[in-house]
Amino acid sequence: MSEIPSFSERIDDVDLSHEMQGSFLEYAYSVIYSRALPDARDGLKPVQRRIIYQMAEMGLRPDKGYVKSARVVGEVMGKLHPHGDSAIYDALVRLAQSFSLRVPFVDGHGNFGSLDDGPAASRYTEAKLRPEAIAMTDSLDEDVVDFVPNYDGQLLQPDVLPAAFPNLLVNGAAGIAVGMATNMAPHNLVEVIDAARHLLAHPDASLDDLMTFIPGPDLPSGGIIVGLDGIRDAYSSGKGTFRTRARSTIEQVSARKTGIVVTELPYLVGPERVIERIKDGVTKKKITGISNVVDLTDRKNGLRLVIEVKTGFSPEAVLDQLYRLTPLEDGFSINNVALVDGKPLTLGLVEMLRVYIAHRLQVVTRRSRFRLDRKTERLHLVDGLLRAIVDIDSVIAVIRASDDADAARASLQNTFDLTEIQADYILELRLRRLTKFSRLDLETEREALVVDIAALTTLLSSEGSLRTLVSDELADVATKYGTPRRTTLLDGDDVPVVGAIASQGLEVEDTPCTVILTATGKLLRTTVTAEFSPATKRVKHDVVRAAVRSSTRGELGAITTRGRLIRFSPVALPSSSGTVGFASGSVATDYILGLATGERIVTIVEISEVALALGTRRGTVKRVDPASFPARADFAIINLDDNDEVVGADPAPDGQELVFVTRQTQLLHFAAMSVRPQGVGAAGVAGIKLADGDTVVSFASVEPSPEVRVVTVTAAGATLTGADPGRAKVTPLSEFPAKGRATSGVRSHTLLKGEIGLSMAFVGFDPRASATDGTARDLPDDVGKRDGTGAPLPDVVSILGTRLR
């Protein structure tokens, strides 16, 4: 039996505190830099970056088929990320969840979870990249970023992605490291890109300048942010808090019951959590007035949580309880910590955008240099090939006379004054390329290469040109992937004081008021007559689309572009003193009325016995009999055809005139009494006869008066939107002869060369105009000729309306 070899023992004494400190620092470093914190340049944590990169390497593009998520997890774990498969799959799932990210990067097929339930196992789900992820990895093969070794040094991975948009702001981030954490709110892609482009053009832009583009977060779940002071603190210092509320409406859910219908919840709050808290509050008698909670959420209609209110209880009071005692109102703490040059820093809005812009400028610079080098190399080869083709017989003779490739290379270099690279390329060339047509192709290619090289050289020599290119590429991304804002922002002074109403029940003093719908789509209640200063003073205000005399406990109806009438009470609206700029105290209509995506309020009306007239984009007119209104809080007031929408609506008693104005400048007005009132289910009758391709831009019901004015504004077809203010004309309606219903009317404006039609029109008393932001715009004086060409506008007009009378 052989003897077991003996080994000498070695025991080292190590100070425990020193060892613990060293091990803890190594662990902390690993967590901070390799797991929890995103890079400020591409806004991604290492595991997210590796997932997106590896999926791109696997060819999982949007136009390809899905693959099992388990396969993706295995590839990422085996090649790039030496951690557990559950951690990788969790990160993959989050990249696919539209309720977690404002712009998801993974297209998931299968059960990827919800706010209340986890996803299915990775063996059941499938995934591929979305187009937005392709934009994040675009140009990786053009040396735009540094590549670093993977965990075992056998493969390379990008240190950062090129990031075609500021993902750190768009999708936010959340992570807990050792001794620090990050929690960033998502934002709207279009708004963030607009701010980045402004900072590119104005490097010294202030926070206030950028906040005109990014007024606040835009959460994936929508909802309402109340109180903007915390947001400004976060944008300034990197830390701040704000409150989010569910979007809800008070509706008649049955013949005898009123309910609170919730259609959007605060960020990362699920309906089951809300229901559980409501039931717990009812059981403990902290919440009163609720008879039932029904979750009607489905994939087709989205979130719909119906909270039924007991008879005799104020829905506003119940809603106030829910805001205070359940997650229907939640807080969000912003802590913008990200890695900048390998160091964790707390960043404000300006700093985050500057870090991204610096990264993107570097990416575009490296990409341009790479392309310049490749085109220069190609031009060198093309020049050599063209020399050879000129005397191809001599080239062939030299090659045939050579003993080997080295001799042939040397002979070609000496005979035709070629470089070694050019000679090698000619030796490897197929003979079929050496034709007359190939020569023409090569000459064309050489000319194109010379132009491209000159353009790239000019680009690299000008920082201004680089900034312009980056800005243009950002604009393209916004056009491709941008979506409308989902979250409504309300300043602290703009929030309806639900608690004050609730404390008084419904016994709010029923005082006279005026409810105003501004042309930018906001609502407010005022107890005095609001007066605007003259537009020539250039003050900011918002022109009026409709104003209705009512009382604080009255009932009004809002008519939408989709032909709905939504009942609401002025008591839920914020009150204003009615001075100039009163729109700052207003509230967006989607907060009060719960509008669908793309739906807008056309007007507001008092629900009375007076018939309502509606005009549609395709020329239909309808007078609605109020006696046919159902008792529901929300109902269709007209049966619209596909691709049609309501463009105008007004009360229309028999003495009124109904007026249509079309894009191709036709104006038709006729007596309201010529249209017989119908029930809500009817589709209306022909209002104006439209030419092919023409549409209605304005419809109104007005009382016959010499004071009624028609305002028409033209649109230019050869310029960018907003670049040419166009021409406007103000004409008394009395100048236009009345015609019969269903005729084409008369011309209201003569178009000049380059004008494609009317961009907007207005018919009513005392017309006013403004820009999108509320800045007053001048309109020309009255023009007697009804079909004149109008006068040039000094500034772009975005909104037409009136003032309170």
Side-chain angles (χ1 to χ4, degrees):
M1 182 180 290
S2 59
E3 295 182 359
I4 298 176
S6 60
F7 297 94
S8 59
E9 293 185 352
R10 177 182 173 184
I11 299 175
D12 293 331
D13 292 330
V14 177
D15 181 73
L16 180 61
S17 63
H18 179 75
E19 178 65 21
M20 290 296 292
Q21 288 177 6
S23 299
F24 181 77
L25 287 175
E26 290 181 7
Y27 170 73
Y29 181 88
S30 174
V31 172
I32 291 172
Y33 295 96
S34 301
R35 295 192 190 183
L37 299 185
D39 192 298
R41 295 170 292 178
D42 62 6
L44 297 172
K45 299 178 185 179
V47 64
Q48 296 171 328
R49 185 179 304 113
R50 291 163 182 168
I51 289 171
I52 294 173
Y53 172 69
Q54 189 58 44
M55 290 182 72
E57 288 293 291
M58 294 169 66
L60 303 180
R61 300 180 62 84
D63 56 344
K64 304 296 182 181
Y66 296 93
V67 302
K68 287 291 186 182
S69 300
R71 179 182 166 191
V72 176
V73 171
E75 289 283 315
V76 174
M77 181 170 58
K79 294 183 177 180
L80 303 177
H81 198 69
H83 298 282
D85 57 341
S86 61
I88 298 173
Y89 184 53
D90 287 345
L92 173 66
V93 165
R94 190 173 189 275
L95 290 174
Q97 292 176 335
S98 59
F99 55 82
S100 294
L101 300 185
R102 190 61 179 82
V103 178
F105 290 130
V106 173
D107 182 0
H109 185 231
N111 178 13
F112 274 76
S114 67
L115 288 166
D116 296 310
D117 297 305
S122 61
R123 62 183 179 274
Y124 298 119
T125 61
E126 298 175 326
K128 63 179 178 180
L129 291 177
R130 289 172 58 94
E132 296 88 341
I134 302 301
M136 291 290 289
T137 60
D138 190 38
S139 304
L140 265 179
D141 57 347
E142 294 184 288
D143 191 36
V144 291
V145 296
D146 294 332
F147 277 70
V148 296
N150 69 335
Y151 64 92
D152 61 3
Q154 296 186 19
L155 299 170
L156 293 176
Q157 60 183 337
D159 181 50
V160 65
L161 294 186
F165 58 87
N167 178 57
L168 185 68
L169 274 166
V170 172
N171 278 323
I176 301 175
V178 178
M180 62 183 67
T182 186
N183 198 35
M184 302 185 185
H187 291 78
N188 185 272
L189 174 68
V190 176
E191 294 176 356
V192 171
I193 285 180
D194 285 345
R197 296 185 66 199
H198 182 78
L199 193 57
L200 274 164
H202 306 88
D204 297 326
S206 66
L207 176 61
D208 289 334
D209 294 335
L210 297 183
M211 285 190 67
T212 60
F213 299 96
I214 309 178
D218 186 23
L219 307 176
S221 57
I224 300 144
I225 292 178
V226 292
L228 305 183
D229 291 341
I231 293 174
R232 180 176 176 80
D233 292 340
Y235 287 168
S236 176
S237 65
K239 293 185 178 182
T241 60
F242 60 85
R243 292 176 297 135
T244 58
R245 276 186 180 178
R247 193 182 303 277
S248 60
T249 56
I250 297 173
E251 300 182 8
Q252 199 73 26
V253 296
S254 67
R256 296 185 177 181
K257 283 195 174 183
T258 301
I260 300 167
V261 178
V262 178
T263 54
E264 293 177 6
L265 288 172
Y267 185 40
L268 300 180
V269 173
E272 288 187 13
R273 177 181 162 195
V274 174
I275 294 172
E276 182 181 353
R277 290 287 294 275
I278 291 175
K279 290 181 177 179
D280 184 62
V282 172
T283 301
K284 295 180 179 179
K285 298 184 178 179
K286 293 182 178 180
I287 300 175
T288 58
I290 293 177
S291 62
N292 194 17
V293 181
V294 183
D295 187 3
L296 301 179
T297 303
D298 57 41
R299 294 191 177 186
K300 180 180 179 180
N301 300 309
L303 177 71
R304 186 173 176 83
L305 192 64
V306 179
I307 304 168
E308 296 181 1
V309 179
K310 290 181 180 179
T311 304
F313 283 81
S314 162
E316 289 85 0
V318 174
L319 182 57
D320 180 70
Q321 290 184 93
L322 295 176
Y323 281 147
R324 290 186 289 107
L325 301 175
T326 73
L328 286 183
E329 181 169 304
D330 201 11
F332 189 97
S333 297
I334 296 177
N335 188 24
N336 296 331
V337 178
L339 297 176
V340 180
D341 295 330
K343 299 177 182 179
L345 298 177
T346 302
L347 306 173
L349 177 64
V350 178
E351 290 77 14
M352 284 190 283
L353 286 174
R354 282 179 176 161
V355 170
Y356 171 76
I357 288 173
H359 169 61
R360 194 61 193 169
L361 285 170
Q362 185 181 45
V363 165
V364 173
T365 299
R366 291 180 61 163
R367 184 187 67 195
S368 301
R369 286 175 181 164
F370 177 87
R371 292 176 179 177
L372 178 60
D373 291 342
R374 293 298 176 270
K375 289 183 181 294
T376 302
E377 293 170 2
R378 178 61 185 169
L379 180 60
H380 183 63
L381 296 176
V382 170
D383 283 338
L385 196 54
L386 283 171
R387 292 183 195 176
I389 290 179
V390 170
D391 195 359
I392 188 61
D393 294 334
S394 298
V395 170
I396 295 174
V398 167
I399 295 173
R400 292 186 63 184
S402 302
D403 295 332
D404 52 30
D406 291 339
R409 182 187 306 111
S411 298
L412 287 174
Q413 289 181 248
N414 294 330
T415 306
F416 298 99
D417 192 21
L418 301 175
T419 65
E420 183 178 347
I421 295 175
Q422 290 172 324
D424 281 336
Y425 184 69
I426 292 172
L427 288 173
E428 295 173 359
L429 205 63
R430 292 184 179 182
L431 289 176
R432 66 182 181 184
R433 291 287 307 276
L434 306 178
T435 65
K436 178 180 180 181
F437 293 105
S438 294
R439 179 179 178 181
L440 294 175
D441 292 341
L442 287 171
E443 289 176 345
T444 302
E445 183 182 0
R446 180 173 63 178
E447 293 174 359
L449 287 170
V450 170
V451 172
D452 291 344
I453 289 171
L456 287 169
T457 303
T458 302
L459 175 67
L460 288 169
S461 63
S462 170
E463 183 180 354
S465 298
L466 281 170
R467 286 180 171 269
T468 300
L469 178 59
V470 170
S471 180
D472 291 344
E473 290 180 352
L474 284 171
D476 291 340
V477 171
T479 302
K480 288 181 181 178
Y481 309 121
T483 55
R485 166 172 278 277
R486 299 175 186 172
T487 302
T488 302
L489 302 175
L490 295 179
D491 203 350
D493 298 332
D494 297 342
V495 182
V497 188
V498 178
I501 297 170
S503 66
Q504 304 173 38
L506 288 181
E507 296 182 359
V508 180
E509 186 179 359
D510 195 17
T511 58
C513 68
T514 299
V515 177
I516 300 167
L517 173 66
T518 70
T520 51
K522 293 185 177 182
L523 286 168
L524 81 157
R525 167 171 52 90
T526 180
T527 56
V528 297
T529 302
E531 293 289 345
F532 291 126
S533 292
T536 54
K537 290 186 177 180
R538 295 289 172 183
V539 295
K540 280 195 174 184
H541 64 279
D542 196 358
V543 298
V544 170
R545 184 178 299 169
V548 179
R549 307 292 182 184
S550 182
S551 64
T552 52
R553 291 170 58 184
E555 185 181 48
L556 302 180
I559 299 175
T560 77
T561 52
R562 295 190 179 181
R564 291 197 299 154
L565 186 144
I566 305 171
R567 299 178 190 265
F568 69 98
S569 174
V571 75
L573 301 177
S575 180
S576 170
S577 62
T579 56
V580 172
F582 63 75
S584 62
S586 58
V587 63
T589 51
D590 53 1
Y591 173 75
I592 296 295
L593 305 175
L595 303 180
T597 303
E599 187 176 22
R600 304 183 310 281
I601 296 298
V602 173
T603 192
I604 55 174
V605 295
E606 184 178 11
I607 298 178
S608 65
E609 297 179 358
V610 177
L612 299 176
L614 295 84
T616 75
R617 184 79 60 194
R618 295 171 63 178
T620 298
V621 66
K622 179 181 180 181
R623 286 178 79 202
V624 188
D625 183 2
S628 67
F629 288 0
R632 297 193 305 272
D634 174 1
F635 56 90
I637 197 172
I638 182 174
N639 185 11
L640 289 174
D641 293 336
D642 294 338
N643 302 320
D644 200 4
E645 66 176 11
V646 176
V647 296
D650 284 308
D654 286 347
Q656 297 278 98
E657 288 277 310
L658 304 184
V659 188
F660 281 94
V661 183
T662 77
R663 183 171 176 80
Q664 294 303 320
T665 78
Q666 294 299 112
L667 184 148
L668 172 66
H669 70 98
F670 49 88
M673 62 185 303
S674 66
V675 181
R676 180 177 59 85
Q678 298 175 301
V680 293
V685 295
I688 183 172
K689 182 180 180 181
L690 297 175
D692 291 341
D694 199 5
T695 57
V696 175
V697 295
S698 176
F699 171 81
S701 171
V702 295
E703 59 181 273
S705 169
E707 297 179 9
V708 177
R709 294 293 182 266
V710 177
V711 182
T712 50
V713 179
T714 62
T719 58
L720 296 174
T721 301
D724 185 352
R727 301 173 70 86
K729 184 171 67 68
V730 181
T731 312
L733 179 62
S734 57
E735 294 292 326
F736 297 88
K739 299 288 184 179
R741 181 181 63 81
T743 62
S744 58
V746 297
R747 185 168 59 186
S748 65
H749 198 125
T750 298
L751 300 177
L752 298 179
K753 183 178 180 181
E755 294 178 336
I756 59 175
L758 298 182
S759 61
M760 65 187 75
F762 168 84
V763 181
F765 295 92
D766 198 2
R768 297 297 172 101
S770 75
T772 304
D773 64 354
T775 304
R777 297 297 195 216
D778 290 334
L779 289 173
D781 296 332
D782 280 7
V783 177
K785 189 177 180 182
R786 64 173 177 82
D787 61 347
T789 59
L793 284 169
D795 300 293
V796 175
V797 169
S798 302
I799 298 168
L800 291 175
T802 185
R803 69 175 179 88
L804 290 184
R805 303 179 69 230

